[in-house]
């Protein structure tokens, strides 16, 4: 393997290469992304299945089948149905704050283990559900698992990866998300055809497969060197792990930077107060803004409700599920394209390209549906498939940009003393707006109709402008040297002078 072309600070170059242990650790950890993606994709699929709706949401089923006077955009408007989908995200939001403490005090692996076990419990409850309460409780356990997993896995990968390959390796997490959604769509398409109407049970139960991988990985894989130094103070063990994942014994420069960052981190007793300091204002803003904008792209509308959306415009049950499979194939393909170019061309370029692509397609889809889809009837088959093509173009833009980079950038910008806290803010903001969008989308679709696409398109324009002016390029910069970017940025440098509140909070 080629040696890593790392940038370092004071001590010279970081040495190392891509090793088998490094790849294995990152791939297994990224099964946390697979869980997230599977749970995103499976809910939208099962809620479009007639047997599932008939058993748990009979009012929605009756409106869909019997009442032709209800607007196309309002047939699925049910707060109970959206509660099934979005209860996962409110549970993830709350659990992410507990995950922050566990990740900081006991290491990244401990949170990954909790995540795997919680998802195993949730998948069992969902697959065996006999009433709505069991369904919702299953979703809550899944949410707890995602809160812990999304808190720890991106940090784990960023800390294990060498600087010059950190972008590609961290995008493995979002690749897992995309593959998880794709697998869920394929499974939904297949299980919908099972006679007897119990196929949805298989769909909900199979979240246990990636959860088992993550649980096993959390038991057998090493923790990150940063984490080992911080919570065990065993420098020799941490150095051995660093040597194993870098494939060389000459890791002293990188190890010294880790020890220095950890010694600073250990003096911080109140990390939430620490991140509120003026000098950490750039990280605090990004911790909240990036996950907020990622949700306001409208992607989870497509992910949660793609089958329902396609039924709204006139496709039948099987066709809508197959269409969801097609759009996820585009997303996964573009995510892997992003993986190969992000460390060469940088984060900002991909944000710009993806943002322009998403904005153009959302405006086109909104205009098209406004002109051709009324409150009743359906689009012609040719028109419906044209909307499908436009959505594929939109989701490929997301797969290049906000999909992978929405997790990568937050995981790499925090200094160690606020890293777990910053990531918990990122995860909680993400889950809060997942919940908000998931809980309100069907009502918004009912009231705004095709204008929903203009609404999210407006937010894409805002976030693309924000990135252009306020996000510095982070490619190839070691995590422990990231502060230099903010000091040189035209706007953020005003917050990083010598400040009175730079004191350590005990």
């Amino acid at each position: 393997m080629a040696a890593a072309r790392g940038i370092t600070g004071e001590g010279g170059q970081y040495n190392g290469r891509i090793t088998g242990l490094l790849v294995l650790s990152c791939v297994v950890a990224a099964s946390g992304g697979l869980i997230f993606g599977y749970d995103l994709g499976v809910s939208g699929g099962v809620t479009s299945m007639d047997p599932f709706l008939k058993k748990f949401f009979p009012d929605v089923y009756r409106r869909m089948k019997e009442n032709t006077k209800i607007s196309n955009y309002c047939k699925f408007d049910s707060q109970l149905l959206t509660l099934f989908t979005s209860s996962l995200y409110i549970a993830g939001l709350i659990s992410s704050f507990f995950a922050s403490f566990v990740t900081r005090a006991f290491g990244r692996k401990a949170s990954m283990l909790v995540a795997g076990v919680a998802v195993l419990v949730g998948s069992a409850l969902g697959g065996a559900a006999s009433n709505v309460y069991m369904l919702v409780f299953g979703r809550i356990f899944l949410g707890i698992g995602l809160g812990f997993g999304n808190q720890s896995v991106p940090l784990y990968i960023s800390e294990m990866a060498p600087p010059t390959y950190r972008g590609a390796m961290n995008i493995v997490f979002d690749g897992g998300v995309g593959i998880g959604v794709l697998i869920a769509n394929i499974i939904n398409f297949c299980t919908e055809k099972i006679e007897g109407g119990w196929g949805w049970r298989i769909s909900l139960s199979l979240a246990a497969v990636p959860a088992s991988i993550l649980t096993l990985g959390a038991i057998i894989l090493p923790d990150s060197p940063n984490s080992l130094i911080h919570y065990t103070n065993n420098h020799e063990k941490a150095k051995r792990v660093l040597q194993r994942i870098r494939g060389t014994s000459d890791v002293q420069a990188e190890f010294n930077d880790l020890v220095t960052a950890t010694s600073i981190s250990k003096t911080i007793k109140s990390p939430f107060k620490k991140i509120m300091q003026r000098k950490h204002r750039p990280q605090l803003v990004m911790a909240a803004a990036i996950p907020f904008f990622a949700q306001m792209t409208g992607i989870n509308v497509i992910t949660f409700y793609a089958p329902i959306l396609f039924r709204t415009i006139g496709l039948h049950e099987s066709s809508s599920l197959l269409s969801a499979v097609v759009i996820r194939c585009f997303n996964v393909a573009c995510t892997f394209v992003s993986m190969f170019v992000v460390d060469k061309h940088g984060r900002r370029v991909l944000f710009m390209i993806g943002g322009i692509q998403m904005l153009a397609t959302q405006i086109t889809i909104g205009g098209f549906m406004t002109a051709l889809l009324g409150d009743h009837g359906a689009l012609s088959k040719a028109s419906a498939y044209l909307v499908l093509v436009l959505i594929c173009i939109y989701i490929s833009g997301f797969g290049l940009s906000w999909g992978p980079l929405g997790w990568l950038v937050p995981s790499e910008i925090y200094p160690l003393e606020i890293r777990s806290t910053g990531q918990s803010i990122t995860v909680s903001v993400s889950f809060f707006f997942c919940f908000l969008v998931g809980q309100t989308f069907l009502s918004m679709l009912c009231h705004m109709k095709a204008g929903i696409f203009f609404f999210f398109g407006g937010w894409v324009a805002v976030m693309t402008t924000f990135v252009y002016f306020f996000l510095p390029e982070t490619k190839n910069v070691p995590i422990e040297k990231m502060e230099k970017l903010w000091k040189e940025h035209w706007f953020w440098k005003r917050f990083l002078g010598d400040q009175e509140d730079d004191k350590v909070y005990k």
Side-chain angles (χ1 to χ4, degrees):
M1 295 286 184
R5 304 178 307 278
I7 299 172
T8 92
E10 339 294 348
Q13 283 198 326
Y14 292 166
N15 296 309
R17 58 187 177 85
I18 303 297
T19 62
L21 177 60
L22 174 62
V23 173
L24 179 64
S25 298
C26 291
V27 169
V28 171
S31 62
L34 198 66
I35 295 170
F36 189 25
Y38 188 86
D39 288 332
L40 279 174
V42 79
S43 57
V46 297
T47 52
S48 74
M49 294 182 187
D50 288 349
F52 182 84
L53 290 174
K54 192 184 299 185
K55 181 175 179 64
F56 296 109
F57 307 99
D59 290 342
V60 175
Y61 180 78
R62 282 194 297 271
R63 284 207 305 272
M64 184 179 69
K65 292 295 185 182
E66 300 167 9
N67 196 335
T68 58
K69 295 182 180 180
I70 294 180
S71 168
N72 281 320
Y73 295 99
C74 299
K75 290 182 178 180
F76 291 91
D77 184 16
S78 164
Q79 289 303 304
L80 186 60
L81 180 60
T82 54
L83 178 63
F84 161 72
T85 299
S86 56
S87 57
L88 180 149
Y89 304 103
I90 199 69
L93 188 161
I94 295 170
S95 67
S96 66
F97 290 103
F98 294 96
S100 174
F101 168 77
V102 173
T103 303
R104 178 178 170 84
F106 301 104
R108 299 359 176 182
K109 278 182 45 170
S111 283
M112 289 161 59
L113 181 60
V114 172
V117 172
V119 173
L120 287 172
V121 173
S123 61
L125 285 171
S130 58
N131 53 56
V132 173
Y133 300 106
M134 284 186 71
L135 276 180
V136 172
F137 273 116
R139 296 287 286 178
I140 289 171
F141 271 98
L142 292 173
I144 292 170
L146 294 183
F148 275 83
N150 289 5
Q151 159 71 21
S152 54
V153 169
L155 294 183
Y156 180 82
I157 296 174
S158 284
E159 291 176 348
M160 295 288 277
T164 47
Y165 299 107
R166 187 178 61 243
M169 289 194 165
N170 212 294
I171 288 176
V172 172
F173 176 79
D174 189 70
V177 176
I179 292 171
V181 177
L182 175 60
I183 291 172
N185 292 155
I186 293 171
I187 289 172
N188 285 335
F189 178 71
C190 296
T191 58
E192 179 265 331
K193 300 179 182 301
I194 295 177
E195 293 184 10
W198 52 271
W200 58 268
R201 294 189 183 277
I202 296 176
S203 294
L204 295 180
S205 298
L206 286 178
V209 176
S212 299
I213 296 172
L214 184 63
T215 303
L216 185 61
I219 293 171
I220 65 175
L221 290 174
D223 215 333
S224 71
N226 314 58
S227 189
L228 289 170
I229 295 170
H230 184 83
Y231 82 90
T232 69
N233 205 32
N234 188 336
H235 287 200
E236 286 304 315
K237 182 177 180 181
K239 190 171 183 179
R240 286 197 302 271
V241 170
L242 185 61
Q243 289 170 338
R244 289 175 64 198
I245 62 175
R246 296 290 179 260
T248 178
S249 59
D250 185 12
V251 296
Q252 196 61 47
E254 184 175 3
F255 185 73
N256 289 342
D257 281 345
L258 297 183
V259 172
T260 300
T262 302
S263 65
I264 296 172
S265 174
K266 284 186 174 182
T267 66
I268 307 304
K269 303 303 180 185
S270 301
F272 276 99
K273 288 183 179 179
K274 182 69 174 176
I275 202 172
M276 297 298 174
Q277 289 182 4
R278 180 179 173 85
K279 71 173 185 177
H280 293 309
R281 195 63 46 79
Q283 292 94 334
L284 179 62
V285 170
M286 295 301 167
I290 289 178
F292 165 72
F293 284 140
Q295 298 311 316
M296 297 309 291
T297 59
I299 185 60
N300 281 340
V301 168
I302 301 297
T303 302
F304 294 160
Y305 298 115
I308 291 175
L309 187 63
F310 287 125
R311 294 195 76 174
T312 295
I313 64 176
L315 297 180
H316 296 298
E317 185 177 359
S318 291
S319 297
S320 68
L321 290 171
L322 182 59
S323 298
V325 172
V326 172
I327 64 174
R328 294 319 300 190
C329 287
F330 275 85
N331 181 65
V332 171
C334 288
T335 298
F336 281 100
V337 170
S338 180
M339 181 188 303
F340 287 109
V341 301
V342 67
D343 288 317
K344 181 178 181 181
H345 298 292
R347 285 64 162 152
R348 285 168 51 83
V349 170
L350 296 182
F351 271 128
M352 294 299 106
I353 293 172
I356 293 169
Q357 190 171 328
M358 288 189 291
L359 176 59
T361 50
Q362 282 175 319
I363 291 173
T364 305
I365 293 168
F368 192 81
M369 290 181 67
T370 299
L372 297 181
L373 180 65
D375 282 342
H376 305 286
L379 292 176
S380 67
K381 182 172 287 190
S383 297
Y385 282 113
L386 179 57
V387 171
L388 172 60
V389 170
L390 290 170
I391 289 177
C392 287
I393 296 172
Y394 158 78
I395 206 165
S396 65
F398 180 83
L400 279 173
S401 58
W402 282 94
L405 303 182
W407 290 107
L408 166 61
V409 173
S411 72
E412 65 183 0
I413 63 174
Y414 310 118
L416 185 58
E417 64 265 27
I418 60 166
R419 190 168 299 157
S420 183
T421 303
Q423 185 69 8
S424 73
I425 293 173
T426 296
V427 172
S428 60
V429 170
S430 179
F431 276 130
F432 175 75
F433 284 100
C434 272
F435 171 78
L436 191 63
V437 172
Q439 193 66 25
T440 60
F441 169 68
L442 293 178
S443 290
M444 290 173 67
L445 181 64
C446 180
H447 291 91
M448 297 177 70
K449 300 181 172 58
I452 194 77
F453 290 97
F454 298 118
F455 173 79
F456 287 114
W459 279 109
V460 171
V462 171
M463 66 187 71
T464 303
T465 303
F466 175 86
V467 167
Y468 182 82
F469 286 106
F470 297 109
L471 182 68
E473 181 55 67
T474 59
K475 72 171 182 178
N476 295 339
V477 181
I479 292 180
E480 311 306 342
K481 300 296 179 183
M482 202 66 69
E483 186 180 5
K484 184 179 179 183
L485 293 179
W486 308 111
K487 288 181 177 179
E488 295 175 350
H489 189 270
W490 72 271
F491 180 79
W492 299 117
K493 65 183 179 181
R494 70 190 67 184
F495 296 97
L496 274 73
D498 293 330
Q499 302 293 332
E500 273 185 33
D501 64 352
D502 282 356
K503 65 184 178 183
V504 173
Y505 284 84
K506 298 293 184 184

